[in-house]
Amino acid sequence: MTTSNLYLQILEWMPFVLQGFVMNILMSLLAIVIGTAVGTFLGLGQLSLNFTIGMPSKLLTQLFRNAPWLVLLFYCIFLMPYQVNIAGTTIELPSWLRATIGFSFPVAANFSEIVRGAVKSVPRGQWEAAEALGYSRKATLFRIILPQCLTRMIPPWMNLYALLLTATPLSMIVGVEEALGRTQAAVQAQSDSRVLIPMYAALLAMFFLYTWPINRLSLVLERRFRTK
């Protein structure tokens, strides 16, 4: 097989691999939404003065933040049911959805720390000034502190999403048809060792071209918000 024919065959496989990359993007977007929502509650829970709320929030955050992503992924894949019955209706839970839920746990834990760190970065004097004006702790948090924290949380949140996307190929191990699995299938179908490096280089380029602008934008926003 000539070099030109080799690269033509690689190009023929690209739509197949790109369809898998769409699955990576879909899982990452859904996981970041779920993780952000849950992580917000965990982060605010860590700041609670109530021991019954604060301690469990801290324990869950540290547990899921320091657990290997692959272990959490295996737990969700093999311990979650393949289908659930709700009001007599059977709902299937495909592998990609269970894998997405598995990715949501470490995302939630990391975003919980982002929320906690952002709130803690606000000078203590603002809490004291709000208290002197008669604001309750809850009103101070939601009306004064959190609005300032939004700009501080956006850059690390974007970096967290980029990290999440690069972790989604782990789902190949549990049978999800994403970009890495499809690349491996394409390489095996070609039965030519020369396609190995170009195919995986193309896969690397897909992830790089998607995540690099996100990382650059997060740096720009971080510098912009830092000056305010």
Side-chain angles (χ1 to χ4, degrees):
M1 183 185 299
T2 64
T3 302
S4 60
N5 289 336
L6 179 66
Y7 281 99
L8 283 176
Q9 289 201 11
I10 293 174
L11 288 176
E12 290 178 359
W13 282 101
M14 282 301 101
F16 176 74
V17 176
L18 282 170
Q19 289 176 4
F21 188 62
V22 171
M23 176 60 72
N24 290 89
I25 296 175
L26 175 62
M27 288 192 298
S28 66
L29 290 175
L30 187 56
I32 196 68
V33 169
I34 298 173
T36 300
V38 176
T40 299
F41 285 103
L42 280 179
L44 295 178
Q46 289 194 83
L47 299 168
S48 176
L49 299 179
N50 189 328
F51 181 83
T52 59
I53 296 176
M55 184 53 65
S57 297
K58 292 176 182 178
L59 288 176
L60 288 174
T61 296
Q62 294 306 316
L63 173 63
F64 294 129
R65 186 166 180 256
N66 295 288
W69 289 39
L70 187 58
V71 173
L72 296 175
L73 185 62
F74 271 111
Y75 265 103
C76 286
I77 285 292
F78 296 115
L79 294 183
M80 289 184 65
Y82 291 90
Q83 59 184 25
V84 294
N85 293 315
I86 300 178
T89 302
T90 301
I91 301 177
E92 299 288 337
L93 296 178
S95 295
W96 70 266
L97 182 57
R98 284 177 284 133
T100 299
I101 296 173
F103 288 125
S104 299
F105 285 104
V107 171
N110 280 279
F111 189 71
S112 172
E113 281 295 289
I114 291 175
V115 172
R116 186 195 62 81
V119 172
K120 289 291 186 181
S121 68
V122 177
R124 181 65 188 173
Q126 297 198 27
W127 289 90
E128 296 172 351
E131 184 180 358
L133 292 172
Y135 283 90
S136 65
R137 178 178 173 84
K138 180 179 179 181
T140 302
L141 179 63
F142 285 96
R143 293 187 179 183
I144 299 174
I145 304 300
L146 283 180
Q148 300 179 63
C149 293
L150 290 177
T151 56
R152 303 172 189 227
M153 292 189 293
I154 290 176
W157 178 80
M158 295 175 67
N159 285 326
L160 178 60
Y161 172 69
L163 177 65
L164 167 63
L165 180 73
T166 58
T168 54
L170 290 173
S171 61
M172 179 200 73
I173 301 175
V174 291
V176 179
E177 288 192 17
E178 47 72 62
L180 179 59
R182 292 197 169 203
T183 299
Q184 184 176 355
V187 170
Q188 292 174 349
Q190 291 283 5
S191 300
D192 189 335
S193 60
R194 291 181 300 171
V195 305
L196 182 65
I197 293 179
M199 287 293 295
Y200 282 102
L203 178 65
L204 177 64
M206 290 180 195
F207 280 92
F208 174 78
L209 292 175
Y210 187 86
T211 57
W212 184 76
I214 297 173
N215 287 322
R216 295 303 303 173
L217 179 59
S218 70
L219 291 175
V220 171
L221 293 176
E222 185 177 359
R223 287 194 294 266
R224 180 181 177 182
F225 294 146
R226 189 183 301 165
T227 59
K228 294 186 177 181

